[in-house]
Amino acid sequence: MRPSLPPTSRASGRCARSTTLIRGGRHMALYLGIDLSTQGVKAELIDPENPAAGSGGFAVGFGADLPQYGAPEGFVPDPDPLVRAADPAMWLDAFDLLFARMRDAGAPLGEVAGISGSAQQHATVCLRECFPRVLGNLDPGKTLAEQLVPCLSRRFSPIWMDRSTARECRELEARFGDRLRRETGSPAVERFAGPQIRKFAKEAPEAYRDTAAIHLASSFFCSVLCGAPSPVDYGDGAGMNLLNLRTLVWDGEIAAFTALGLPGRLPRAVPSATIAGGLSGYFEKYGFRAGTPVAVWSGDNPGSLIGVGAGEPGIAVVSLGTSDTFFAAMRSFHTDPDGYGHVFGDPAGGFMSLICFSNGSLAREAVRKECGLSYEAFDRVTPVPESEHLLLPYFVPESTPLVLEPGAEYGFDWASAPAEERVRALLESQILSMRLHSAWQNEAFRRIRVTGGASKSAALRRIIADVFQSEVETIAVSNSAGLGAALRAANAIGGIPFDMLYGRFCAPVSVTRPDPARKARYDRMLEAYRQLEAGRSGTAAARLR
């Protein structure tokens, strides 16, 4: 029997800017959700008693707002496309800037009754022994970066886009074989924290010896808020190749093999409803109340599962962002035999499945620019006469299937095809790949909810509905990870049931219904796509190891 994950907190939110939220002559309890994504940090502030209050969220973009870090896409440029790392100093400066903007806009931060957050999964932050002492004595007269960067034993943090650990993955697979997938929910994955830590310990042994603790980005920022080291929740902890999902504790054998002494460097793994601590006095300068409860943070994908109201089985979620992800709550614990899909903890309890497609908006943007189209024109040109052109959209290294050397491959004459055909071929191929690689979940989803920046595309929503033959819904808040964090805070700290929060914040605002007449066409194209993918040299139906 698999253990049952206890329920956890949810976040949601609209952020009040200049309007103080008042009801019945008094301030009401507000809940704050924060999301650290690849390209920026966002906040959602909600009033569960008055969901319509507020006027949108607050955001800081790394490229636009912190150009001094030279990371327009959220990571440090590197000539090796397999290496992708971010500067924690940039993240910390973004947090100070975000809270300053909220304060200066009049957001009623003193009325916040609870906080939680989400962060891009798999990113690790390696810290020296001084970290707890510095956290407990943060000086509000200095910035977070000034005080905490000296605690970093590894100056830059590898993020989810990093693919430089193929050798370490092979070593883990050779040692543990299929047990890794069966018990941690995933095979050894290049971007996961375990292989990243193993590479760090091998290539920088002195820096690793100087490392007293290794946090995920989620637990690192929860620690910063609390002024003390925070645990890791099951949702994000599962993305490390280290958490045994059958026991819900770090697997001592796997962790010890990954790096010498690693078990003692990992934070405790806990249910997602755990209260990590109270808000540090450092944040009083922005108008918060010290001691405000902070629920443990989670990963952005588990957070989004809550933020779109899909914490229970039956609703799939398609997140259309820098990468595309397909995820859903699971009825039973099982893993992808092909090794592309992953299992994480569901913040509402139990488990969730997830598949990541690295060539999401990165590929869409590449084609848009190549075709010389505006964003509006890109969406407009997709309903074209229905050719059945396909391509393998590997404009950057791909996760599903694993492709370390990028290069799109075309099943038609790409160069001479008009823009309309190229755009439609890309979008249809992306969604067909999603359908192909989600089949292991053995679930006929009655509804699919879409989120992320590209979810605004009516044409893309139409393709998803027709390929999957499922209704496709959108919700009002596009920042589902930030909203999920706010809903988790309202649940864990305020005791508000998830189903009540879903009804208030996650009701669909648009529905795209499938066209049954297109089913046969897409079934035919799915088989053609399967054959095209299987024929690609070096990737035929097996993970590259």
Side-chain angles (χ1 to χ4, degrees), residues 41-76:
V41 60
K42 302 175 184 177
E44 296 288 340
L45 187 62
I46 64 167
D47 177 357
E49 298 300 321
N50 185 12
S55 56
F58 287 87
V60 171
F62 298 140
D65 294 315
L66 297 169
Q68 65 269 33
Y69 286 98
E73 303 298 328
F75 53 82
V76 180

Side-chain angles (χ1 to χ4, degrees), residues 79-102:
D80 185 346
L82 300 182
V83 174
R84 290 290 180 262
D87 190 341
M90 177 180 71
W91 294 343
L92 291 163
D93 277 346
F95 270 68
D96 273 324
L97 180 56
L98 177 74
F99 293 144
R101 285 181 172 177
M102 296 179 75

Side-chain angles (χ1 to χ4, degrees), residues 384-404:
V384 297
E386 294 189 349
S387 61
E388 296 187 5
H389 293 327
L390 297 170
L391 72 148
L392 301 179
Y394 308 145
F395 291 83
V396 299
E398 180 54 67
S399 303
T400 306
L402 184 65
V403 177
L404 296 181

